[in-house]
Amino acid sequence: MEVVFYRTERGGEPVRDWLRALTKGERRTIGTDIKTVQISWPLGMPLVRKLEPGLWEIRSTVDQRIARTLFTVAGNRIVLLHGFVKKSQKTPKSELELARKRKTSLEI
């Protein structure tokens, strides 16, 4: 499977920007997790959790924090839609809504 970053209409790549803002060690951990999903798809818990039809999260632990990379699968591509560091147990609705919106824009 090929891994690609979601691209906005203006050409921005929000997940790539988010990753660049993290420390080198955090990027390495998340990158390794993404690569594992790429090579071994389909995967389940504890690394990947299905959130709803067509939307999954990669569950990474970085420096005692919880990072999530939300993605969808389009053909033979894993599209990284959104990334964030969680501050609570439950995935915030706003983070999920943003990933849904980006996923929907791919389908147009």
Side-chain angles (χ1 to χ4, degrees):
M1 305 247 349
E2 179 184 10
V3 173
V4 296
F5 291 96
Y6 167 81
R7 205 169 251 203
T8 64
E9 289 180 15
R10 294 184 176 189
E13 295 175 330
V15 176
R16 188 185 303 265
D17 294 340
W18 170 69
L19 287 168
R20 285 183 178 144
L22 299 174
T23 68
K24 186 176 182 180
E26 291 169 335
R27 284 193 306 268
R28 182 179 302 120
T29 299
I30 293 169
T32 299
D33 291 345
I34 291 169
K35 187 174 182 179
T36 300
V37 173
Q38 176 185 16
I39 293 169
S40 305
W41 182 253
L43 279 178
M45 291 289 280
L47 184 58
V48 176
R49 182 170 73 108
K50 187 171 188 171
L51 299 173
E52 58 189 47
L55 190 62
W56 293 267
E57 68 178 0
I58 299 172
R59 305 159 51 89
S60 303
T61 302
V62 292
D63 295 334
Q64 299 178 5
R65 299 186 305 161
I66 302 167
R68 296 292 185 255
T69 308
L70 306 183
F71 71 95
T72 191
V73 175
N76 65 342
R77 292 176 149 175
I78 293 172
V79 182
L80 304 178
L81 299 169
H82 184 48
F84 62 98
V85 174
K86 286 177 70 170
K87 293 176 176 54
S88 65
Q89 281 296 104
K90 190 169 170 105
T91 300
K93 289 182 182 181
S94 61
E95 307 288 3
L96 200 50
E97 281 300 317
L98 183 57
R100 284 183 189 130
K101 182 179 171 187
R102 290 176 179 169
K103 178 179 170 275
T104 300
S105 75
L106 292 175
E107 297 167 354
I108 295 174

